[in-house]
Amino acid sequence: MSSPSSDESKVLTHVDAAGHARMVDVGDKPISPRVAVASSRIAMSAEAARAIREHSLAKGDAMTVARVAAITAVKLTSQLLPLCHSIGIDGVEVEHAWLDDTTLQWQVTVRSSGKTGVEMEALTAASVAALTIYDMCKAMDRSMEIGCVRLLEKSGGVRGNYLRTE
């Protein structure tokens, strides 16, 4: 997968000729399969990481709650981002991995068959998964740090495919 290099890919589509915000009209675009994968990371204290792994948080099972929060975030993205279209979702996969003893990574894959992409849904979901971990652990660690929210890959649509290579 690669990203397009033409000048067309650098046009701001959510701005009209006068520079005003607008919602893109996707009415004439063909329906096609769309996939986006995004990730986020949250770094925390050893105490918080241990509590998550041992399921000993007072608020409950953080991993399950974060997974459900990510799925919910996919469905609510257009309500959070004003210029984002409301779209039908074919599927959502939410995965996590401990990168080290105290850093948790979330990866969300969103699939849709539609006229617009699902990058924003995947990015929102990855962010919300990390935010949910913060919410569930903040009583024991307010110094947690959320970062590295990024699109890993996307496919479908007129702008073509993208794969992060770093």
Side-chain angles (χ1 to χ4, degrees):
M1 290 185 194
S2 64
S3 58
S5 59
S6 71
D7 289 335
E8 179 183 306
S9 69
K10 295 181 176 70
V11 173
L12 295 176
T13 58
H14 287 79
V15 179
D16 67 15
H20 301 117
R22 71 178 181 111
M23 187 174 215
V24 175
D25 184 347
V26 297
D28 291 335
K29 292 173 79 176
I31 293 174
S32 66
R34 314 290 185 122
V35 178
V37 182
S39 67
S40 67
R41 293 180 185 168
I42 181 165
M44 64 197 75
S45 67
E47 178 188 23
R50 188 171 35 261
I52 291 170
R53 284 187 174 101
E54 294 173 357
H55 305 283
S56 62
L57 291 168
K59 289 186 173 185
D61 180 357
M63 302 303 266
T64 298
V65 174
R67 180 180 310 278
V68 172
I71 293 166
T72 302
V74 167
K75 298 189 291 183
L76 296 175
T77 299
S78 66
Q79 294 178 35
L80 298 169
L81 303 174
L83 303 180
C84 194
H85 289 84
S86 176
I87 60 174
I89 301 298
D90 295 339
V92 179
E93 296 170 24
V94 181
E95 302 173 84
H96 69 275
W98 288 96
L99 300 181
D100 57 40
D101 288 344
T102 59
T103 306
L104 178 60
Q105 178 172 282
W106 289 96
Q107 182 171 302
V108 179
T109 303
V110 181
R111 289 182 173 74
S112 177
S113 297
K115 295 182 175 196
T116 189
V118 289
E119 299 94 61
M120 298 313 301
E121 287 76 9
L123 288 161
T124 300
S127 300
V128 168
L131 286 166
T132 301
I133 295 295
Y134 188 99
D135 179 50
M136 294 194 70
C137 297
K138 68 183 180 242
M140 95 176 22
D141 181 9
R142 294 199 185 268
S143 70
M144 289 176 283
E145 186 173 317
I146 295 170
C148 205
V149 177
R150 59 190 182 166
L151 182 68
L152 301 177
E153 64 183 273
K154 78 93 156 172
S155 63
V158 296
R159 286 195 166 65
N161 299 333
Y162 169 80
L163 178 64
R164 181 173 293 278
T165 57
E166 53 192 60

